Amino acid sequence: MASHRKSRPAGTRVAGIRTPALATAALTSVALLSQSANAAPEADDKPSLEEVEKKVDDLYRQAESATDKYNSAKEKTTKQSKRVDTLLDDVAKRTQKLNEAREELGSFAAAQYRTGASAPDTATFLLADTPQDYFDQTQLMDRMTGRQKVAVDDYVTQQSETMKKRQEATESLETLTETQGDLKTAKATVQRKLADARDLLSKLTAEEKARLAAIEREKQQEAARKAAELARQQAAQQQAQEQAAQQQDSGSSSTGSSSSTGSGSSTSTAPADSSYATKAEKALAFARAQIGKPYVWGAVGPGSYDCSGLTQAAWKAAGVTLPRTTYDQVNAGTTVPLTDAQPGDLVFFYDDVTHVGIYIGNGMMIHAPKPGTYVREESIYYDGESAIHSVVRPA
């Protein structure tokens, strides 16, 4: 007897049998794609070598900015501490005078009590041994009353001035505490930025460090090329100025010869900036003697320097006092065009004026670059032309 059950299509059956295998394959593919998708961001998350270099440079610049804030706060703290000490000494002296005035008033009060000056005149007259004693006591008290008035006035004055100085000392102490807080904050910021930079560099492989060094060498070569270009430009400008001066001298000599006979005498006029050149030579001699000493943030010598500490010390050796920080030094002289820069001029960098070097000519400078480096000669284009902020002649 024929069966009424319909047979399954061959294709359906085969599909039914293969479904688990296809599903497994599909799931495996999804898993692999998922792993690949997850792995890709990890590779992308790692910064490129150029990004690391930029980040490290930015951190060093931020550390220099924080160093300037630290230097400023330290300078203010020193000045404020001296002011507080002076005020406290003054308060102590005034307090002593106040106590002396108080003692004098006390002696007057005791004298009045002993002589009976506080009693009514009638009672004093009746209690006196003789009328002459009464009149002697009255004259004495009249004289004492005049001295007492002076003593009272002096006491009031001393009390008022002492209270005023105490208030000034209190306010100065509060300012000192606030400045010391700024000092600690700036110091912590510097240390944090430098630690971040070291951490980034420590994660580089040997190959990456070698590539980074190669990038740095390329930057130095470009900086040297730019310095040489500036040197040629300055030399051409100097030559043109000398030729113009010679022509002017020749014209003056001709005019003098035609207007005077037999008595022409030649005079030599020293350059207007000769005194500056003399001071600059002393500053540069000092700066050159510091080459090879380490950069240490907040240091002003003699064993180590930060950038503004070096320029301040160099010009101090030439008899010129500069402020402590870069953003104060940039205002301590006359701004000149870069093409007119002379040895001894200060070259400032970045929009926030966080770095400074001392120009030595031919597009070169002496500076204390950053932590981990040493005072050295280097092109003023060491970080590119756009990094140069201004040139200032300090004396």
Side-chain angles (χ1 to χ4, degrees), residues 190-246:
V190 173
Q191 292 174 332
R192 186 175 67 253
K193 298 295 183 183
L194 295 180
D196 290 345
R198 286 192 295 268
D199 183 59
L200 279 172
L201 292 174
S202 68
K203 293 178 180 177
L204 295 177
T205 64
E207 182 183 353
E208 287 172 332
K209 290 178 180 178
R211 285 173 54 202
L212 190 62
I215 292 173
E216 186 63 27
R217 284 193 297 272
E218 289 177 3
K219 287 175 62 177
Q220 290 175 352
Q221 290 171 359
E222 176 60 17
R225 187 190 67 78
K226 294 288 292 181
E229 182 182 325
L230 176 62
R232 287 191 296 271
Q233 185 179 356
Q234 289 181 324
Q237 182 174 307
Q238 178 69 21
Q239 185 177 7
Q241 290 174 348
E242 289 175 356
Q243 289 175 350
Q246 288 175 357

Side-chain angles (χ1 to χ4, degrees), residues 132-160:
Q132 186 61 45
D133 288 342
Y134 168 76
F135 290 115
D136 290 343
Q137 287 182 12
T138 301
Q139 289 177 357
L140 176 62
M141 288 312 303
D142 285 343
R143 291 195 299 272
M144 289 183 66
T145 300
R147 289 176 58 195
Q148 182 178 1
K149 185 178 184 305
V150 172
V152 170
D153 290 344
D154 182 55
Y155 176 80
V156 172
T157 301
Q158 294 294 337
Q159 186 180 43
S160 175

Side-chain angles (χ1 to χ4, degrees), residues 345-361:
D345 290 351
L346 302 179
V347 186
F348 294 90
F349 297 86
Y350 311 116
D351 292 338
D352 53 355
V353 196
T354 53
H355 189 67
V356 62
I358 183 167
Y359 192 65
I360 62 175

